[in-house]
Amino acid sequence: MDAAPNPLDSPRDQAVSLCFFRFSRLRDRVWAFGQMGLARRPLRRLPGVGFVKLMGAGTGEGFTPIPDTGAVAILATWPDLDSARAQVEGAAVFRRYRDRAADAFTLYLNPIAARGLWSGAAPFRPGAPAPGPVAALTRATVRPRALLRFWARAPAISRRIGADPNVLFKAGIGELPWVQQVTFSIWPDAAAMAGFARAEGPHAAAIRAVRDGGWFAEELYARFTVLAHSGSWGGVDPLTPNRPAAAPALVAE
């Protein structure tokens, strides 16, 4: 019998979905916490899904050592944009999150650069850049000996990103509090993102400290083109805040 095809082997452009959900009621927060274990198997069984991660979030500027018990994020890779939309907008596991969430914001991304590993895998298959906003994702496993030094620098970086007028959206998410962390931000174009990354300040100083001290046991850096988005965060569409938020189009199963 032939082996089942791997969705990451498709010649079409890979798509990445990144869904953010915020829960306001206590019973919904308790439900979301339980789903950190219960939703993993249904997510991994979705048709076409490749790499998938269910993560928590940080408070304040988004990337802080204090977890936000009311927010979660789900990242998944798909063989193409149509497959991503069909599952994220139609699968029961995603619909249950949307039905309970006070805010639900979904991004569809196309990888354009990737370097490093995430849980021992290289999940993103870069394609050609396209016009439009760009997103940056950094994921790292922080060595235990470096935790205090890493988190001493993180708040200053978050404040610097938050004060940059070019940042359209930012979030701090992760799989394991304090140890396995992800920073995610969206910029109007590659030039704005590169300008922040190269500027002297807490971000540049932290990068040098990470390199000199070997703070990370594993790291991954990826860049994406934003293909599409839907929903709201904080009651607005983060990428077009002056327009009404676009609701996801639900697909009946």
Side-chain angles (χ1 to χ4, degrees):
M1 181 180 296
D2 293 336
N6 185 337
L8 298 184
D9 291 337
S10 168
R12 295 171 291 180
D13 285 345
Q14 183 192 50
V16 177
S17 62
L18 181 54
C19 304
F20 295 92
F21 302 98
R22 186 181 300 282
F23 305 92
S24 57
R25 297 178 300 188
L26 177 60
R27 65 176 180 268
D28 293 327
R29 292 185 176 212
V30 172
W31 175 86
F33 181 79
Q35 294 301 302
M36 295 299 287
L38 296 175
R40 295 182 188 275
R41 181 173 291 180
L43 286 167
R44 290 169 179 158
R45 289 181 172 178
L46 292 175
V49 74
F51 186 83
V52 61
K53 288 289 182 180
L54 178 55
M55 298 171 283
T59 57
E61 288 289 334
F63 191 57
T64 69
I66 304 172
D68 182 347
T69 59
V72 300
I74 303 174
L75 179 146
T77 64
W78 311 89
D80 52 59
L81 179 59
D82 289 343
S83 299
R85 278 180 154 160
Q87 295 304 320
V88 171
E89 295 173 7
V93 62
F94 284 105
R95 188 167 60 246
R96 284 193 289 267
Y97 276 93
R98 284 195 300 271
D99 287 347
R100 289 176 174 267
D103 264 324
F105 181 52
T106 296
L107 291 153
Y108 297 100
L109 313 167
N110 176 41
I112 55 176
R115 173 171 58 87
L117 299 176
W118 188 336
S119 298
F124 305 126
R125 190 182 68 238
V134 295
L137 181 148
T138 300
R139 188 269 181 186
T141 298
V142 185
R143 297 186 190 276
R145 61 175 173 78
L147 283 172
L148 292 179
R149 286 172 289 174
F150 173 81
W151 285 110
R153 292 179 181 269
I157 299 172
S158 291
R159 287 192 297 269
R160 181 71 175 268
I161 294 177
D164 193 311
N166 289 316
V167 178
L168 302 176
F169 179 78
K170 65 183 185 305
I173 50 182
E175 304 147 86
L176 183 63
W178 307 296
V179 177
Q180 293 178 328
Q181 298 296 313
V182 176
T183 60
F184 179 81
S185 57
I186 301 177
W187 305 78
D189 49 50
M193 181 178 65
F196 173 84
R198 294 169 183 165
E200 282 300 321
H203 182 261
I207 291 176
R208 289 193 293 269
V210 166
R211 295 289 176 263
D212 294 344
W215 291 2
F216 294 163
E218 184 183 59
E219 54 193 304
L220 178 142
Y221 304 93
R223 302 290 180 264
F224 307 85
T225 297
V226 179
L227 300 174
H229 69 286
S230 64
S232 66
W233 197 247
V236 300
D237 178 342
L239 301 193
T240 51
N242 295 324
R243 300 179 187 174
L250 299 182
V251 179
E253 291 191 313

